[in-house]
Structure formats: structure tokens, C-alpha cells
Amino acid sequence: MPTTPERTTLAGLDISRLLCGLWQVADLEKSGETLDAERGADALQAYAKAGFDTFDMADHYGSAEIITGHLLTRYPAGNRPLAFTKWCPEPGPMTAEVVRKGVQERLDRLGVEKVDLLQLHWWSFEHPAWLDALHEMARLRQEGLIGAIGVTNFDAAHLALALADGIPLASNQVSFSLIDRRAAGALSEVCARSNVRLFAYGTLCGGFLADKWLGAPEPTSIPDWSRSKYKRFIDTAGGWGAFQGVLAAAGEIARKHTVSISNVATRWVLEHPSVAVAIIGARLGESEHRDDNLKAFSFALDGEDKARLEAAFAGTQPIPGDCGDEYRRPPYLTASGDLSHHLDALPSIFVAEPVPGRPERSRVSSGSIWEPIAGFSRAVRVKDTIRVSGTTATHGADRCVAPGDVGAQTTYVLDKILASIAALGGRAEDVVRTRIYLRDASQWEPASRAHGRFFGEIKPANTMIAAGDLIGDYEVEIEAEAVVD
């Protein structure tokens, strides 16, 4: 039986393969009463002394950063625990000043000169300033204010886009468990082609993947945010009966290896080649399971174990979409449920303006230098129809995003098209026609797959054309039409 967690290296950092996640600080403080920082630091220090010396938090996890800062002051000579945190700004202009302010707040709350790993969460990819934020974080990394850069809840397409645009990413934190297996697909394929490693959260489904729930009746009420979130995952994956099938398979494996169901759930995630760490919730001052968690390193899953789990998976429904979709589109598998009200309130990158003398016509501009030169709008709405001009992967006025990568450029272009449609009152579901113009016809597949990720269920009419040379470093240009019902 190991006495400390396994370790791995990430961007030069020696880290525990079991991270202590501090999201439950926000849950403990939801009544408005803040935890005592020194007592919280005592609890964290007990974890650190037991080898669980890598902590994960965020700007919105209550006072988690402050508590961790109190812990770090107890290690004045260095060789301190590692503090990973997240910055989750509302979409808007990500100027150098805005990003520096966000990073400085993390430094101040943690009481450090450099954030070990800073992870960006972005609510809507239709607002492209996430690229500005990451590029500015990369510059602050060169200044020494950030040790490594990560992202959270990025799907495969946007992780690939960030990498193709030159962002030096080390990690992507996503939900990954016996119930939510999305990360094992396209996202892991991107990781296999890069140096990005996955931080897996939700590995225990808020505590549902545990012995006490095997054979237990379905709960009728749930008192905490974390568990209410993962109950939604269970419901979406086929309900309580399907969940019990997975739990029963994990229970048989647990008995075989003399461990707990939670150990089996954690081990399954940790054995995935793209996963660097699993994040286990630390509920400060309450239940602590360090000794049991260590048992995840006392065994390995054999072929029989994996086959048993695969058979149980067959009785479940896949969680829809890609990683992170739960924050951006239905069925919104989050603690608060439906996030449509939140996403509707996010500012658009584009602003519709009326066309003088044309009361049933409006238009948007994207700020490209070519629009005033050539005299065109990014999109125009006439009555119920929206027409989007040929759109390239132009960021801001004139920067080409991800030169040479047609798949990444297609992702960026379609985000831009949907943002222009949204500014004119439409949605992705309203798109009825797209046309794709390629520089190189041999690159049809990455462009097609990117288009399929956006429109696989909507299925608009589509034409793909080998256009030959496009201007500059652009590999693809796309236009679209939408009819708003």
C-alpha cells in the first residue's frame, strides 16, 4: 500500500496525481459566512503533509485562494505546496490591462510572485477575445508572473485552435468519469498530438461513485451543489438504473482488488493515457478520505476489469456533445441547471445597426480592415433572412488565426459566423445554407469535420468548393444564410 500519491511532471512542475480540488469551499460558504483562513490552512497543511501537496481552485471558489495563500506563507524557505487556480472572466475585451489585472488579483489572493498554473475558463467561444486573453497570459508567463498556462472545459476543436494559434498550453481541465466519458474521444486525440495533459474532475461524480450508493434508492433531494450537478449527469446517461449497472460492475472489481468503488473509478480515469491527474474534492474540516484515496495506486485494472466496465457502459447513454458543452448549450449539466439566462446576458462581440432608410434591414461589421475598403458588411438581415459574407479566420482587424491549419481556421470562422448571426437575432439552428471555399481541395476532411461539429444535428444545405489561392495565409473561407423562424 503506497503512503503517498503517485507523482508526475507537468510543464516542469512535480505534482501529485491526485489534486485536492477546493470547489467545495464555495459550497461551504454559500450561506455568506466565510471560513476561517487559518483553520482552512490547517486542513490543507494536513493534506500537504500526507503528500497531497497540489491544490486546485478558482477565482469564484469562495475564499479558496485566500485560504491557500495562508497555507503558502507557512513555507517561507520554498519547497512549498503547489497552487493551481483559474481565471473565469466574463467575455469582453481582453486588453493587456484587463488580463494583467486578473492575473494580479490571483497573485495577491495567493500571496505569491508567480502563479504555478493559471487556467482560463471562457463562457462563449463566439466571443473571440479568449485568444487575446491566452496570448496576453503567454506574455505574462514570459515576465515570470505565470509558471504554466492551462484551460478549463475546452472542447477538442477549440483546444486544437488554441494550439494552432501558438498558445503554449500545458493542461485542459474537464469532466471525466465512469459516467462522463467524453474526454476519451476527440479531446484525447488532440492531447496525443500535443503536450497537453488532462486534469480530470468529477471522477467520483460528486460522491455518487461510492460503495454507499450501490443498491441504494434514487435520492429525492440533494443538499449540496456538487452532488446536484452530477445527478444531472447520471440522469442524462440513462438514469438511476443505468448508473446502478456501472456501480455494480465497479463494485465487483473493487471486491476483487480489495479496494473501494471510488478507488476503481479513480483508477480507471488515471489509467487513461491523456490524463495527468484526477481531482478529488477536499471538504475542509469535514469528511477526509486520504487513506482510502491512496488505494487507487495499490492496483491496476486488468483486461477482465476493463471488459466488465465496457459491458456496463453499453447500458448507458453517452453524455451529449464534447467536453465543456455543459456550460454552453443544453442540457446544461451544471449545479444550477439551465444556464441559458446567463449566456443570453453575455455581451456579443458584434453590434447590429439599422440600415438608414430601410426599416426591415440591419447589419453588423466585424471590424476587419477589408469591410470599409471593399464596402461590405459581415452580415445583413432583411426581414427574416440573414446572409453572412464570405468569412475568413481574421482576428481583430487583420491578424490571420492559425496559419496553415484548415481545421482550426474553420472552427474560428464558424464561431465568427454564428456570432454575427446571433447579433442579428438568429441562432445556429436557423442556418439553412453554408458554402465552404478551400485553398487546397485535399484538406476537405478537417474542414468537413469542423463543420460537422457545429452543424451535425442542424444539417443545413452545404456546398464545398476548391477555390484555389485565397488571399494571405487563409486556408478556408465560408459564407452562410439563416432564416429566423
Side-chain angles (χ1 to χ4, degrees):
M1 169 71 179
T3 57
T4 59
E6 286 181 1
R7 306 190 72 80
T8 190
T9 301
L10 179 91
L13 299 171
D14 177 50
I15 65 175
S16 167
R17 291 203 73 200
L18 285 182
L19 263 61
C20 292
L22 303 184
W23 63 82
Q24 293 177 344
V25 171
D27 194 21
L28 293 169
E29 294 180 339
K30 65 183 178 182
S31 65
E33 183 176 349
T34 302
L35 297 177
D36 181 87
E38 283 299 316
R39 289 183 181 177
D42 290 341
L44 295 187
Q45 192 164 24
Y47 277 96
K49 288 180 177 178
F52 297 81
D53 59 357
T54 311
F55 298 95
D56 182 78
M57 64 215 78
D59 55 5
H60 62 287
Y61 289 0
S63 61
E65 289 177 328
I66 294 173
I67 292 171
T68 305
H70 280 250
L71 169 70
L72 299 183
T73 61
R74 301 179 182 184
Y75 298 82
N79 196 29
R80 61 169 176 77
L82 293 173
F84 298 166
T85 193
K86 308 178 197 73
W87 183 41
C88 309
E90 291 290 326
M94 290 289 113
T95 63
E97 293 74 20
V98 168
V99 178
R100 185 177 291 271
K101 181 180 178 182
V103 174
Q104 189 61 53
E105 185 178 45
R106 313 280 69 72
L107 295 170
D108 293 342
R109 282 166 63 92
L110 287 167
V112 296
E113 296 182 352
K114 178 171 68 176
V115 179
D116 298 319
L117 171 72
L118 183 59
Q119 304 156 89
L120 176 72
H121 172 84
W122 195 255
W123 288 102
S124 173
F125 291 122
E126 290 178 16
H127 198 302
W130 63 273
L131 276 175
D132 298 324
L134 286 172
H135 278 293
E136 192 58 37
M137 287 167 63
R139 283 187 278 272
L140 295 179
R141 177 173 174 263
Q142 292 177 340
E143 283 188 29
L145 300 183
I146 300 172
I149 301 173
V151 290
T152 69
N153 300 306
F154 269 49
D155 58 29
H158 290 90
L159 180 64
L161 170 54
L163 293 169
D165 205 41
I167 307 296
L169 294 178
S171 64
N172 183 19
Q173 186 172 146
V174 295
S175 171
F176 199 3
S177 71
L178 294 174
I179 300 301
D180 178 13
R181 303 179 295 278
R182 293 172 296 172
L187 185 59
S188 286
E189 293 174 8
V190 175
C191 291
R193 302 194 302 265
S194 67
N195 293 322
V196 177
R197 306 290 303 284
L198 297 182
F199 285 10
Y201 69 82
T203 54
L204 301 183
C205 278
F208 277 115
L209 287 170
D211 293 88
K212 71 176 183 178
W213 290 104
L214 179 58
E218 184 172 4
T220 57
S221 63
I222 300 173
D224 61 83
W225 288 347
S226 180
R227 197 165 293 162
S228 64
K229 170 181 177 176
Y230 292 106
K231 179 58 165 60
R232 289 189 172 93
F233 276 86
I234 291 169
D235 293 341
T236 304
W240 197 250
F243 168 69
Q244 285 293 322
V246 174
L247 211 58
E252 292 174 4
I253 297 167
R255 288 190 293 274
K256 170 182 171 180
H257 294 284
T258 320
V259 295
S260 67
I261 288 177
S262 295
N263 296 151
V264 173
T266 303
R267 188 71 209 174
W268 183 83
V269 170
L270 286 173
E271 288 189 2
H272 195 279
S274 295
V275 172
V277 301
I279 306 174
I280 305 298
R283 200 165 179 88
L284 305 186
E286 296 186 11
S287 55
E288 297 175 351
H289 305 285
R290 289 189 291 269
D291 290 341
D292 183 66
N293 287 332
L294 285 174
K295 293 179 182 178
F297 303 107
S298 68
F299 71 105
L301 298 174
D302 59 27
E304 180 185 53
D305 300 332
K306 294 174 182 177
R308 180 172 280 125
L309 288 172
E310 287 295 331
F313 295 160
T316 66
Q317 297 293 323
I319 300 298
D322 202 343
C323 294
D325 283 355
E326 63 268 32
Y327 292 98
R328 301 182 181 98
R329 63 189 63 177
Y332 298 117
L333 304 177
T334 65
S336 58
D338 189 352
L339 290 178
S340 58
H341 63 288
H342 172 74
L343 297 175
D344 289 343
L346 295 177
S348 172
I349 184 64
F350 303 137
V351 178
E353 61 177 22
V355 176
R358 300 282 186 167
E360 294 185 321
R361 187 176 300 186
S362 55
R363 62 195 177 197
V364 297
S365 171
S366 67
S368 162
I369 61 171
W370 304 112
E371 290 168 11
I373 292 173
F376 70 94
S377 296
R378 177 57 43 211
V380 176
R381 176 170 178 168
V382 180
K383 297 183 179 179
D384 63 351
T385 301
I386 300 171
R387 297 176 177 87
V388 185
S389 297
T391 302
T392 57
T394 302
H395 188 72
D398 58 2
R399 183 174 80 82
C400 177
V401 171
D405 192 317
V406 66
Q409 287 194 2
T410 302
T411 296
Y412 184 92
V413 168
L414 292 175
D415 281 335
K416 192 171 183 176
I417 285 174
L418 293 184
S420 66
I421 290 173
L424 291 167
R427 302 180 302 158
E429 292 79 4
D430 298 323
V431 174
V432 296
R433 154 71 75 178
T434 57
R435 295 180 179 88
I436 302 173
Y437 304 92
L438 292 175
R439 177 193 296 275
D440 182 354
S442 70
Q443 296 298 305
W444 65 270
E445 185 170 357
S448 295
R449 291 192 180 280
H451 185 275
R453 283 190 290 269
F454 282 80
F455 296 114
E457 296 181 1
I458 301 166
K459 293 182 171 58
N462 169 255
T463 303
M464 180 175 284
I465 301 168
D469 282 346
L470 297 177
I471 298 171
D473 293 324
Y474 299 113
E475 301 295 327
V476 62
E477 184 170 337
I478 305 174
E479 59 184 50
E481 298 178 16
V483 178
V484 182
D485 297 327

